[in-house]
Structure formats: C-alpha cells, structure tokens
Amino acid sequence: MKFLERLIITNDKKAKVGWVKDGKFNYHYVNEEEIFSGNTICDIIFHMNYLRDKYPKINLPVWFEIVNDNLKVADKLTYILMECLCYYYLYYENRNVRLFWEPDQSNILTDGINKSPLIYLNKIFSKKKFKTKFLSDESNTHYRKVYRLSDKESDPYYQSMIQTELDSFLAKMDINQESAEKISEICAELIGNTFEHAKSDCLIDIDLTDSYSKSEKGVKVKGDFKGVNIAIVNFSDKLLFEDIKYKLHSEVLVEEKYKKIMEAYKKHVNFFDDSYPEDLFYYFAATQLGISGRKEIQDVGGTGLYVLLQSLMEDSDLCNCYVLSGKYIVIFDEDYLYENEEHWMCYNKEKDFINFPPSERVIGECPIFFPGTAFNLNFVIEVE
C-alpha cells in the first residue's frame, strides 16, 4: 500500500522496556491495558522501532500479546491501523508476526473485528490469507478493498467502477435505499479525494452489523436499525489541510465564499493557541461547501466532506465519528456540529463558524503522527 512506510518513518521514537524473549528467540510484546486504542498503536510502533534498531540485520519473529480478559477495542479505525502495522511488519520487514488477543465483539461500533484479516494472525495463522483479506474481501456484510492510484491513472473509468462496486455492495443491504446510495456516493468521493489530493492508494473497509433497537432520551424508537461502520484510510506525504492552507495564502481569491473564509481566518487568528493551533482552522475550512484545495478553482468543488457531514447529521447517531490527519483529530460531535442558514458547517454552541472558534469538544490530538488522512464513520440506518 503506497506510503504505508511513512507511518513508521514519521514515528521514530523507541521503547525498550516491556519486551519478553523466549528460548526460541521470539520477542513477545505484552500489553495488559483494557482498551486497545491509539495509545496502544503508538506503543507498538515504538517497541518495534527499538527491536529493529537493536537487531538491524535480523528480522526477529514477534508475538503481540494483548492479554486483558475484558479487552475492548476503541473503534473501527484502531483495529484497521493495527492491520496496517501487521501488514508492514510482515511484508515490508519480512518478519513473522502473530497476534494473540480476544477482544469484546459485542460493541456495534467494532462489530466488524470478527471479519478482520487479523483473524489469520491469531489462533488460525496464515500469512497468505492475511494478505489476501487485507487487500480485498467481500461478503454480504463486509466490503474491503485497497484502491490503487496507479489503476486510477491508467484507467479513465476507474472512479466510475469504484462507484459501481460500492453501489452494488450497499444495495444488497436491507437498509434504507436512499441512505445506502448516499453512503456509496460519500465513500466514492472520499476515495476520489485520495487520488486527487493525497496522490496515494486508498483502503476502505465497510461492515454491516446485526439489527438492533435504539433509544432516544430513554424512549425506544420504533423499528429495527443496523450500524454501517466505515474506515477510509490513505497514507501520504500530504495532510488533509495542506492544499487549502497553501491556496488561501498564495492565490488571489475573488469568489465570495473564499473571501468569507479569509474573513473568518482573520478573526480566528485571535483564538489560535496550543489547544486550537492555526493548522486546525484549515481542517474546518476543508469541510465547507464550495471550498476546494485545487489550484485556481473557486466556483466548484469542495463538496465531499460537506456532503459527508450533512449525511451524518441527517441519517446517523454521531457516535465516535472523526477524521484524523497528522497530529490532529476533528471530532464530529452532534452537540456541536451544525449547518447554519448560510450553509456554513459550524463547530460551536454559537452556531457561527466565521466569528467564533470551534468548541474544545471537537478537537483531539493523536498520540502518533498520522501521515495521510483517515476517517472513522458510523452510520445508524433503519432497516427496510
């Protein structure tokens, strides 16, 4: 997968304490924490950096042992990133890797873990099956594929093919047809954004949960619902905000929407601090309707993230939905995500993107540097 190695290169710290070596010269990474999260991913990378540095000419076998009896995985994107790490150590470093864990599979947000390629590094070990399932997998409830930039560049109809494949998979689900079409459109556009802006490959993983009931304010809602959990990941040397940042400060902007963005920037300068760094302003700018990072384009574009947010607000319970790029996370919190009458996406109680800073509730910091862009999305859709 293109640029996957940057996940390791850009996080080059080392952690020595915690390794266990057995008599067969296998190294065991043992973690007893109850939540498998971004912090765990960070810890694994740092431990592996130490091992590579200590034995630069020997690709020693490694066992990842996550041993808590009540283990919970933080979200879908977390275990997807663990898959990427394992793929890297298996095929970039040619190292034998095993994973021993028994995570809770009753959480609707991480239900797809039982369809993960990680199952072939656990009790059933098959390096070949892991690779096959990592690159492509489809069933009635799971769709996964690594879409290649090289294929897009060689095939003028590749983007249409992606849309068709997603439409076909989502149409098989017994969920509201309009919602399924909208999710397909969003996913296809975010994949297209990867090709156009990140210039990289894109991994998408979609899983459909079993039916369940839901409650709002303690009252059971009529009908059955299913969760559609999605992770979309690219690794790149370009972060989500960089094109827009460059454009806003290097082009003569004449269209009214861009003038308003710059008006907002001049006001937000007064809000920038350690908890709201300047670069985060451009993340929020990237979600606005009509704002594009493409050069010399001011009248079209900039709809992908905007349409995504509209769909999340209309069709889903916003539970742990976010986008990650670099060191920062933008959290799509339903208490603070609002579209005002002028079609600005706002991230504050004031419902005013131009004049007020985003709430601290929508800003997070990642324990590692993520080279590229990754989405963790959860749609809750009524069963037809």
Side-chain angles (χ1 to χ4, degrees):
M1 188 174 174
K2 192 174 177 67
F3 295 126
L4 172 55
E5 69 278 2
R6 291 190 61 81
L7 182 60
I8 310 302
I9 295 170
T10 56
N11 296 282
D12 58 357
K13 293 182 180 179
K14 302 175 181 67
K16 176 180 180 180
V17 178
W19 281 112
V20 177
K21 184 174 70 173
D22 64 23
K24 297 181 180 180
F25 219 55
N26 295 308
Y27 269 75
H28 298 249
Y29 167 86
V30 182
N31 189 302
E32 300 179 355
E33 295 178 357
E34 185 174 350
I35 306 296
F36 189 93
S37 66
N39 289 323
T40 320
I41 296 289
C42 178
D43 195 50
I44 288 173
I45 292 175
F46 293 168
H47 274 79
M48 292 298 291
N49 289 346
Y50 165 78
L51 193 65
R52 187 189 315 105
D53 185 63
K54 183 175 176 63
Y55 301 102
K57 296 182 180 180
I58 307 174
N59 299 323
L60 295 171
V62 172
W63 293 15
F64 297 121
E65 299 180 24
I66 318 298
V67 298
N68 193 293
D69 291 336
N70 300 306
L71 180 66
K72 296 176 177 59
V73 177
D75 53 43
K76 182 178 181 71
L77 181 57
T78 301
Y79 75 76
I80 295 294
L81 292 183
M82 183 60 182
E83 295 169 0
C84 293
L85 277 186
C86 290
Y87 188 88
Y88 175 85
Y89 296 128
L90 281 164
Y91 291 99
Y92 285 63
E93 293 191 356
N94 195 29
R95 188 188 300 273
N96 283 329
V97 170
R98 297 292 302 270
L99 173 64
F100 296 92
W101 69 347
E102 293 186 10
D104 177 19
Q105 298 182 12
S106 63
N107 186 340
I108 188 173
L109 301 180
T110 56
D111 181 79
I113 200 168
N114 58 14
K115 309 175 186 77
S116 165
L118 292 173
I119 61 177
Y120 293 113
L121 301 182
N122 199 350
K123 296 176 181 177
I124 305 171
F125 180 78
S126 172
K127 184 176 177 179
K128 182 179 179 180
K129 288 183 179 179
F130 171 84
K131 181 178 183 179
T132 300
K133 197 174 180 69
F134 179 90
L135 296 175
S136 181
D137 185 52
E138 183 173 356
S139 67
N140 288 334
T141 58
H142 184 223
Y143 182 85
R144 180 201 184 89
K145 193 162 185 178
V146 175
Y147 286 105
R148 304 288 191 180
L149 175 64
S150 57
D151 293 333
K152 171 65 167 62
E153 293 173 335
S154 63
D155 183 355
Y157 302 104
Y158 193 60
Q159 188 69 33
S160 298
M161 182 272 289
I162 293 172
Q163 182 77 67
T164 300
E165 289 184 350
L166 292 170
D167 286 342
S168 176
F169 169 70
L170 289 163
K172 295 186 295 185
M173 298 182 176
D174 53 347
I175 58 175
N176 179 278
Q177 182 178 354
E178 182 180 351
S179 297
E181 291 173 353
K182 194 180 296 183
I183 293 172
S184 176
E185 176 189 352
I186 290 166
C187 291
E189 185 151 354
L190 293 178
I191 294 169
N193 285 351
T194 293
F195 297 145
E196 183 172 357
H197 297 289
K199 302 298 182 185
S200 188
D201 300 338
C202 186
L203 185 159
I204 182 167
D205 192 294
I206 308 172
D207 71 82
L208 179 70
T209 71
D210 293 334
S211 297
Y212 78 106
S213 60
K214 75 170 186 176
S215 300
E216 292 181 357
K217 297 180 179 180
V219 179
K220 185 177 179 181
V221 178
K222 185 178 180 181
D224 291 326
F225 298 84
K226 289 192 175 184
V228 182
N229 301 319
I230 305 171
I232 301 175
V233 179
N234 73 67
F235 299 98
S236 173
D237 56 2
K238 184 177 287 186
L239 302 182
L240 175 66
F241 68 90
E242 290 182 347
D243 282 344
I244 288 178
K245 179 180 181 179
Y246 178 81
K247 179 173 184 171
L248 292 179
H249 295 292
S250 64
E251 294 185 19
V252 177
L253 304 171
V254 297
E255 203 276 333
E256 189 63 29
K257 192 83 173 183
Y258 286 87
K259 289 182 178 179
K260 292 291 286 186
I261 281 284
M262 289 309 296
E263 177 187 332
Y265 173 79
K266 291 174 183 177
K267 293 184 178 181
H268 282 234
V269 165
N270 299 313
F271 307 134
F272 295 152
D273 56 21
D274 290 343
S275 61
Y276 178 34
E278 179 181 349
D279 282 345
L280 268 172
F281 172 82
Y282 306 107
Y283 282 79
F284 295 113
T287 67
Q288 304 301 336
L289 178 64
I291 300 298
S292 170
R294 286 177 289 178
K295 294 180 179 179
E296 300 177 356
I297 292 181
Q298 296 187 36
D299 56 346
V300 294
T303 60
L305 291 177
Y306 175 83
V307 173
L308 164 63
L309 296 180
Q310 274 194 324
S311 298
L312 287 172
M313 290 189 294
E314 292 172 2
D315 299 334
S316 183
D317 300 326
L318 295 189
C319 182
N320 207 26
C321 297
Y322 60 88
V323 58
L324 159 66
S325 188
K327 286 291 292 184
Y328 303 117
I329 300 169
V330 173
I331 303 164
F332 305 137
D333 188 313
E334 61 185 345
D335 292 333
Y336 296 91
L337 182 60
Y338 177 82
E339 182 186 14
N340 66 17
E341 294 178 355
E342 297 178 330
H343 301 293
W344 291 100
M345 283 295 174
C346 307
Y347 298 87
N348 47 45
K349 285 291 188 181
E350 294 81 7
K351 299 179 180 178
D352 184 342
F353 170 74
I354 303 295
N355 298 295
F356 293 91
S359 165
E360 292 182 359
R361 287 271 298 276
V362 303
I363 297 173
E365 187 169 351
C366 185
I368 61 171
F369 181 88
F370 186 83
T373 302
F375 293 88
N376 186 82
L377 306 172
N378 311 107
F379 291 87
V380 178
I381 307 295
E382 186 172 4
V383 176
E384 288 193 324

